Structures are given as C-alpha cells and as structure tokens.
Amino acid sequence: MRTMMAMGVMTGALMLGACGTSDASSNDGGTVVLRNLAETEVAAPKPARLDIVGDLIPTPSDARSDYYLLRHRSTLAGTSIAIIRQEHDDRVAYARTEVDCGKRLFHVVGVAPTRGRVESDVAHDGPLRSIHGMPLREELARYVCERSGTPLAGA
C-alpha cells in the first residue's frame, strides 16, 4: 500500500515537473515573457521572403524587436483577441493574446513558431491580469484596443 502511494506521489510530481518546465518562454510565475519570445524554442527562423499583412505596433519599451498586429477580433465577453508577430534578429514567434480594454487586463493564450499553429496553442499564461508595471504589454494592449475601437482605460 505504501509503495503504491509513494509511486503515485512520484508519478504526480514528475508530471507536474514536466508541465512546469516545458515552456522556456515562461518565468517562475507562469507568465509568458513576450519580450524574449523570439529568443526561445517557440520561435522559428525568419523566412527569407514573407509579406507581412499586418500593422507595425509602436513599442518604445522594446526597440530590439518589431511587433505586428496581424489580426484582432472582439469576443462576446467584450475582450479583444489579437494575433501578434514578434521579429527579433533572424527569428520570429507568434502570440495569441486577450485584452480587456476597460479593465486594463492582458494575458497570453497561445504561442507558436507559425501563425497557423498559434491559433490552437495553449500557453498557460493564467487569467487576465493587470498590465500595471509591464510597459510592453501596455503598449501592445493600447494598440489592440485602439484598433478594436475601444481605447485602453486610463491607469
């Protein structure tokens, strides 16, 4: 009985450990770090020829990368879902984000090396949370909210 219980605990610990360490784009709190996403295993080499159909997002807090808003839509809950492409050096990564413009909340719901895969990926970034003290997320949220027709609420 004790052996079975110990094996169950060990199996559970191994599974949790595997889940917790599989995403190098996350920090200790489980938040996906968008600023470094193109430097992780999530990213892919930048194609030699690719016409980006999207808008360059001004991100003064991260002058090393270019961020493009490729697509956005409103949800029934009143939030906005956006597909964002990050280019850094010769690497690209995609993030699917959700923004609550009225409450100044943001989270990442998917990351992937291609636009097609980001639509179905789950990034486990947690619930919508405040963008306070997170300049890159605030810049991205502001742009997505403006494009969605709902300005980002004041701080």
Side-chain angles (χ1 to χ4, degrees):
M1 179 77 159
R2 282 187 180 177
T3 304
M4 287 178 49
M5 186 192 268
M7 288 179 62
V9 169
M10 288 174 52
T11 301
L14 287 172
M15 289 175 66
L16 284 173
C19 291
T21 61
S22 64
D23 185 2
S25 63
S26 296
N27 68 16
D28 293 337
T31 302
V32 174
V33 181
L34 292 172
R35 185 177 310 277
N36 301 325
L37 192 59
E39 299 171 12
T40 69
E41 79 280 351
V42 169
K46 184 177 176 181
R49 290 189 40 92
L50 179 66
D51 293 330
I52 300 171
V53 180
D55 301 319
L56 182 62
I57 302 170
T59 54
S61 71
D62 185 5
R64 298 178 333 129
S65 297
D66 288 328
Y67 296 87
Y68 295 89
L69 176 62
L70 304 181
R71 179 175 175 252
H72 64 88
R73 65 177 174 82
S74 296
T75 68
L76 293 174
T79 61
S80 293
I81 303 291
I83 303 297
I84 296 171
R85 173 186 168 104
Q86 179 193 23
E87 294 184 1
H88 178 75
D89 293 334
D90 62 346
R91 310 273 298 162
V92 297
Y94 294 82
R96 188 173 78 250
T97 64
E98 182 177 18
V99 181
D100 185 323
C101 301
K103 295 180 181 174
R104 298 178 56 84
L105 304 175
F106 185 102
H107 72 150
V108 178
V109 292
V111 294
T114 66
R115 182 175 178 173
R117 286 185 50 198
V118 78
E119 293 284 355
S120 62
D121 183 72
V122 178
H124 304 292
D125 187 47
L128 283 161
R129 61 176 68 91
S130 174
I131 57 175
H132 179 75
M134 303 179 89
L136 178 59
R137 286 185 182 224
E138 185 170 351
E139 293 161 354
L140 296 173
R142 179 175 290 110
Y143 195 84
V144 169
C145 291
E146 287 173 4
R147 295 299 304 236
S148 298
T150 306
L152 186 63

